[in-house]
């Protein structure tokens, strides 16, 4: 943050030092708008202590909050009673409000002069459709900022004892959507089958049998370790491990609940080697 970006936003006050806490985000739109503003805020994967300080400040001072299904009840409880809370979805194939209507709602509320918080699970820019929302906001001349959150991959991996990269086992990690269109996963499977690589599938529960089948078909070892983390970082977190051949049955036996994240790679085996016992908050 520097005075220049403050002035670019049109909020600098003479020679006084900029109020650094408030305008630190470089991704901010129209400086000339005098109306309200929208903060796209990442709420992290569940544990409220994984909120950033910035997210916490914006949530606790919001006037209107539009939130997704994935935002945990503990985090929703931080919203002031005086604020209006609007649930905008979304469950698989059951969008409470279609995306274009959410985009428009954000614009309308900001133009009415409100400080709007658009609260999203995880990080707004990782499978969060934040890109679409800011495009609409920018197009409508609405001021906005984006506050990153801890994405499910980071949160779940940390709380499940699975390092996503490791000097000996994974030099890269890839975040992939496992969301199926018309029951098929039209993904570049061949690219995914690499040594020393970790794959993380978001929205992969329904497609899990196809994901395992395609990875094996494209050359991945059938005994490649895989973990499915359900409700990661919450008190109900559940971790199911197996390999590409066994995981579907294991998940079936455990009757896990969404949201779930799938991690594929040798790093998953480290969890057992570490004799990981928990990972939920210990103090
Ligand atoms: N923007 C979010 C992702 C939204 S897509 C982020 O950065 O985390 C929704 C998917 O995220 C879910 O289907 C699931 O795969 C994953 N997810 C989100 N929260 C999760 C949690 N607490 N535990 C496991 N998976 C989670």
């Amino acid at each position: 943050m520097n005075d220049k970006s403050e002035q670019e936003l049109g909020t600098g006050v003479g020679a006084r030092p900029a109020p650094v806490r408030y305008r630190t985000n470089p991704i901010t739109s129209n400086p000339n708008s005098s109306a309200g503003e929208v903060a796209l805020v990442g709420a992290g994967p569940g544990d409220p202590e994984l909120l950033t300080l910035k997210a916490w400040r914006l949530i606790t001072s919001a006037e209107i909050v539009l939130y997704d299904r994935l935002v945990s009840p503990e985090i929703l409880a931080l919203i002031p009673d005086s604020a209006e809370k609007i649930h905008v979805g979304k469950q698989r194939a059951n969008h409470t409000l279609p995306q274009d209507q959410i985009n428009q709602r954000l614009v309308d509320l900001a133009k009415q002069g409100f400080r709007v918080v658009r609260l999203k699970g995880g990080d707004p820019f990782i499978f969060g459709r934040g890109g679409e929302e800011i495009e609409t906001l920018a197009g409508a001349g609405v001021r906005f900022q984006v506050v990153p959150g801890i994405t499910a991959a980071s949160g779940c991996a940390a709380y499940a004892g699975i390092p996503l990269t490791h000097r000996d086992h994974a030099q890269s990690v890839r975040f992939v959507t496992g969301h199926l269109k018309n029951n098929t996963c039209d993904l570049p499977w061949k690219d995914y089958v690499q040594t020393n690589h970790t794959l993380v599938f978001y929205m992969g529960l329904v497609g899990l049998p196809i994901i395992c089948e395609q990875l094996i078909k494209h050359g991945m070892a059938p005994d490649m370790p895989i973990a499915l983390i359900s409700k990661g970082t919450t008190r109900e977190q559940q971790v199911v491990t197996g390999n590409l051949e066994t995981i579907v049955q294991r998940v079936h036996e455990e009757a896990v609940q969404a949201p779930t994240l799938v991690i594929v790679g040798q790093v998953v085996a480290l969890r057992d080697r570490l004799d990981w016992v928990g990972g939920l908050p210990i103090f």
Side-chain angles (χ1 to χ4, degrees):
M1 171 60 195
N2 55 35
D3 289 357
K4 185 165 174 284
S5 62
E6 185 71 17
Q7 279 156 18
E8 279 169 356
L9 287 168
T11 54
V13 193
R16 270 177 45 206
V20 284
R21 286 186 309 132
Y22 290 91
R23 300 286 176 235
T24 53
N25 202 308
I27 312 168
T28 304
S29 66
N30 190 347
N32 302 315
S33 167
S34 57
E37 56 186 31
V38 177
L40 262 67
V41 177
D47 182 350
E49 291 194 353
L50 292 180
L51 280 178
T52 61
L53 288 177
K54 191 163 200 162
W56 183 85
R57 178 176 59 75
L58 289 164
I59 293 168
T60 54
S61 62
E63 291 176 334
I64 298 188
V65 180
L66 280 79
Y67 65 95
D68 283 348
R69 170 186 63 97
L70 283 176
V71 179
S72 69
E74 292 91 337
I75 290 173
L76 293 178
L78 297 173
I79 302 170
D81 288 344
S82 57
E84 188 180 344
K85 302 184 198 65
I86 305 172
H87 180 219
V88 292
K90 322 161 180 154
Q91 224 139 2
R92 237 188 99 79
N94 175 20
H95 291 207
T96 309
L97 257 195
Q99 186 65 45
D100 54 346
Q101 285 184 32
I102 296 175
N103 299 349
Q104 195 51 48
R105 192 88 174 256
L106 293 173
V107 169
D108 294 346
L109 290 167
K111 291 209 159 169
Q112 287 165 35
F114 290 108
R115 268 180 296 120
V116 183
V117 168
R118 171 71 176 105
L119 194 55
K120 291 165 169 291
D123 181 276
F125 278 179
I126 297 185
F127 304 123
R129 304 192 75 166
E132 292 158 64
E133 292 176 5
I134 60 170
E135 254 183 271
T136 310
L137 294 169
V142 171
R143 287 170 63 103
F144 63 84
Q145 61 176 319
V146 182
V147 180
I150 292 187
T151 191
S154 299
C156 293
Y159 280 47
I162 301 170
L164 292 178
T165 65
H166 188 287
R167 208 177 141 84
D168 301 328
H169 306 289
Q171 274 75 55
S172 55
V173 56
R174 196 187 292 236
F175 296 170
V176 182
T177 169
H179 185 67
L180 304 181
K181 280 188 193 145
N182 307 324
N183 244 9
T184 58
C185 257
D186 191 15
L187 293 169
W189 296 105
K190 220 165 176 313
D191 286 1
Y192 298 165
V193 182
Q194 294 176 23
T195 47
N196 289 4
H197 185 61
T198 304
L199 292 172
V200 178
F201 287 92
Y202 286 69
M203 299 165 274
L205 182 59
V206 173
L208 188 63
I210 295 179
I211 291 169
C212 295
E213 183 191 296
Q214 291 294 328
L215 290 175
I216 294 173
K217 190 170 151 197
H218 287 82
M220 195 174 274
D223 64 353
M224 180 62 80
I226 175 167
L228 184 129
I229 299 132
S230 155
K231 298 191 171 182
T233 81
T234 73
R235 294 191 181 279
E236 296 161 274
Q237 171 172 301
Q238 222 182 325
V239 182
V240 183
T241 54
N243 62 41
L244 290 180
E245 277 184 328
T246 61
I247 193 75
V248 172
Q249 180 60 28
R250 291 274 302 113
V251 167
H252 190 66
E253 286 161 9
E254 300 284 340
V256 296
Q257 285 178 12
T260 63
L261 190 89
V262 176
I263 304 179
V264 185
Q266 294 295 351
V267 288
V268 172
L270 291 167
R271 175 188 158 85
D272 294 333
R273 224 174 303 160
L274 291 166
D275 199 14
W276 192 260
V277 284
L280 293 176
I282 52 173
F283 52 82

